[in-house]
Amino acid sequence: MPPGILYVVATPIGNLADAGPRALETLRQADVVVCEDTRTTRTLLARHGIERATRALHAHNERAAGAELLAELRAGRSVALVSDAGTPGVSDPGALLVQAAHRAGVRVVPVPGPSAAVAAYSAAGFAADRFLFIGFLPPKAAARRKALEALDVPWPVILYEAPHRVLACVQDLQARLGGEREIVIARELTKKFEEVARLPLAEAAAWLQADAHRQQGEFVLVLGPGSPPRRDEEAAQRVLDMLLEALPASEAAKLAARITGAPRNLLYKRALQRGK
Ligand code: SAM
């Protein structure tokens, strides 16, 4: 018997209408639907008239239940893995089963769809060629402080946060990263009370406190890119100044950009300012 297929199926993050046709078809056809909380997944299945056996796989039984599922996959049965909401394995269980499937030579097929992180990022509007996905910050103070240090990067950062910690979180972020850095607060995405607000960190706490409902529901926070470290800026400026002694502005900016990695446009503007 050829091994079955493990389908990793993304499900809605609030609005059940976001379940795509391929995701629904996969759930309808699978021999077993594996989920975190069977009640949550049954609501989704019932909404779309799907009658399928569900089985629980969560952080506490991932290894034991995973071994059973692997045996079924090896026996040729197909398994659809979902989480409560969004994409399995993204701050959700699932990765261990997927890893075991790869190691056992079982084919793994993603059925892509909603993820709160990507939805929030798409509505954030930070033009960047990369982002850092952090997921949840550690709840304990010392580990949290350490984790905040890693957010001082020149690209956008995506965080998940629980409603009872979101106010403290934006206050910590402001203390560590400064009030000028922008943040997008994406709340209750795809749901009735959805809000997406983009504002400087200095205004984030007041925004959350402006309305009694604003600290309720589910949150993704997207930090805008931090400014490049000052040391790099100073070094780029020094290189530019030296080159300007011998070269015209455009040549000096081009070379300084190649040497330091700083943006050429920015260096050119500075070179012109120097010439004034
Ligand atoms: N695997 C999921 C995904 O792909 O989006 C994430 C699971 S993680 C356990 C749950 C967290 O995702 C929530 O605490 C919240 O931070 C974020 N989240 C999930 N649904 C959301 C929504 N509708 N609006 C905003 N954030 C959401």
Side-chain angles (χ1 to χ4, degrees):
M1 172 77 82
I5 294 176
L6 174 62
Y7 296 94
V8 186
V9 184
T11 58
I13 55 170
N15 188 332
L16 295 189
D18 286 338
R22 189 166 162 240
L24 294 175
E25 198 45 34
T26 306
L27 294 173
R28 202 169 270 125
Q29 301 288 333
D31 292 313
V32 189
V33 174
V34 179
C35 43
E36 269 186 283
D37 181 338
T38 50
R39 285 164 307 179
T40 308
T41 300
R42 279 203 207 111
T43 307
L44 172 72
L45 297 182
R47 156 81 187 253
H48 295 281
I50 299 172
E51 288 177 13
R52 226 68 220 125
T54 53
R55 214 170 304 160
L57 178 88
H58 38 70
H60 307 295
N61 76 346
E62 201 170 356
R63 277 178 202 280
E68 260 176 46
L69 288 163
L70 205 60
E72 300 200 31
L73 283 160
R74 282 195 175 116
R77 286 162 69 79
S78 64
V79 173
L81 168 69
V82 299
S83 59
D84 280 351
T87 301
V90 179
S91 298
D92 261 345
L96 288 182
L97 178 62
V98 171
Q99 173 178 274
H102 282 299
R103 288 186 176 157
V106 170
R107 188 170 161 213
V108 178
V109 173
V111 182
S115 180
V118 176
Y121 187 72
S122 72
F126 295 121
D129 56 8
R130 71 187 71 174
F131 61 75
L132 176 63
F133 174 70
I134 294 286
F136 292 99
L137 288 169
K140 294 213 170 114
R144 203 174 165 82
R145 268 197 301 277
K146 187 98 199 111
L148 288 177
E149 284 168 22
L151 310 188
D152 200 359
V153 291
W155 48 80
V157 178
I158 306 176
L159 300 162
Y160 287 155
E161 191 50 282
H164 62 279
R165 270 199 294 262
V166 70
L167 179 61
C169 181
V170 298
Q171 288 167 334
D172 288 350
L173 290 171
Q174 181 186 348
R176 179 73 186 83
L177 304 170
E180 280 176 22
R181 189 148 168 196
E182 281 192 296
I183 186 168
V184 167
I185 304 176
R187 174 177 168 259
E188 292 289 88
L189 291 172
T190 77
K191 302 186 213 175
K192 188 170 174 193
F193 297 109
E194 176 181 271
E195 288 187 280
V196 180
R198 177 167 160 167
L199 61 186
L201 264 174
E203 293 169 24
W207 186 89
L208 287 167
Q209 287 167 313
D211 175 326
H213 301 292
R214 286 215 175 133
Q215 287 168 62
Q216 292 168 5
E218 296 192 281
F219 290 85
V220 182
L221 303 175
V222 187
L223 282 169
S227 354
R230 279 207 89 75
R231 250 179 303 127
D232 290 0
E233 273 184 32
E234 284 162 12
Q237 187 68 55
R238 271 201 306 276
V239 171
L240 179 68
D241 287 344
M242 280 190 270
L243 292 170
L244 278 172
E245 287 172 18
L247 295 170
S250 64
E251 282 298 301
K254 191 165 98 183
L255 261 182
R258 280 177 60 189
I259 295 167
T260 64
R264 182 173 160 184
N265 289 349
L266 180 80
L267 293 173
Y268 183 56
K269 260 192 223 155
R270 286 191 187 161
L272 293 181
Q273 280 161 1
R274 280 278 197 269
K276 276 181 192 165

